[in-house]
Amino acid sequence: MLTFEQKQKVIEEFPNLTKKEVSLKRLNYHLDESIYDKTVVVQHLHPNGNGFVYVGDLPQYEADSRGLYNIRMASEEELTQVIADSIRLLTTPYEPVEEVWVDDRDNELVLLEEQGAWNVYFDDQLEDSFGDREEATNYLKGQQCKKKE
């Protein structure tokens, strides 16, 4: 496990991060170039070595409900990678997923990922909303729909 000082050194190798002190001797590191409202890359780095990096819903990380990944046990390589991934996430424009599905009567339904929700539309009207893609596709399959190729 890296010490607080070692983690600080790794984090501060990213010149586009700005350090801000918060309560209880913790530090946050912000990315001013973020194209989203979210600017905190490293949150609550504590002198005991605990802290979090924002990873949103990147599939390679086990994040909490806020999209934060715990870096307490991270190696130097892991910490460097997760910070680079976070910066890339916060500086890359979001590309929503949109799929067209067809039911057995040739009606088209659109599955659209919007701000973390998976919404099903029929003729521009929201038919239903789901927390993840699997729930939404199971719903569509249950409605006898197939993904349009």
Side-chain angles (χ1 to χ4, degrees):
M1 179 173 92
L2 298 173
T3 66
F4 173 73
E5 292 78 15
Q6 290 169 322
K7 287 178 182 169
Q8 260 190 297
K9 184 177 183 229
V10 170
I11 295 164
E12 291 174 4
E13 288 176 6
F14 292 88
N16 49 349
L17 296 180
T18 305
K19 178 171 63 173
K20 296 188 181 180
E21 293 182 20
V22 292
S23 63
L24 305 173
K25 299 181 182 178
R26 295 176 299 180
L27 301 174
N28 285 352
Y29 287 85
H30 292 256
L31 178 67
D32 295 331
E33 300 92 45
S34 174
I35 60 174
Y36 302 100
D37 291 338
K38 179 77 176 166
T39 64
V40 178
V41 171
V42 179
Q43 182 172 328
H44 296 162
L45 180 62
H46 192 275
N48 70 8
N50 201 22
F52 302 90
V53 172
Y54 178 73
V55 295
D57 58 1
L58 291 174
Q60 64 268 41
Y61 298 104
E62 289 187 35
D64 66 15
S65 61
R66 300 169 296 159
L68 297 173
Y69 175 75
N70 191 305
I71 58 168
R72 181 175 186 79
M73 302 304 290
S75 68
E76 183 175 341
E77 296 78 22
E78 291 168 329
L79 183 56
T80 300
Q81 185 63 56
V82 71
I83 291 170
D85 290 343
S86 179
I87 291 171
R88 194 170 16 268
L89 176 66
L90 293 172
T91 57
T92 303
Y94 175 72
E95 297 280 336
V97 173
E98 184 175 335
E99 298 174 351
V100 177
W101 289 66
V102 180
D103 68 13
D104 56 359
R105 289 178 270 164
D106 285 332
N107 293 312
E108 289 189 351
L109 293 100
V110 176
L111 175 59
L112 186 62
E113 180 189 13
E114 299 176 296
Q115 299 179 349
W118 291 85
N119 298 322
V120 176
Y121 291 91
F122 178 74
D123 284 344
D124 296 338
Q125 297 294 319
L126 179 64
E127 183 164 315
D128 216 330
S129 186
F130 302 90
D132 63 40
R133 183 184 196 137
E134 184 178 1
E135 284 181 277
T137 57
N138 286 341
Y139 169 79
L140 288 164
K141 290 173 185 175
Q143 300 298 314
Q144 308 302 314
C145 296
K146 294 188 187 234
K147 190 173 171 184
K148 189 173 180 179
E149 301 299 326

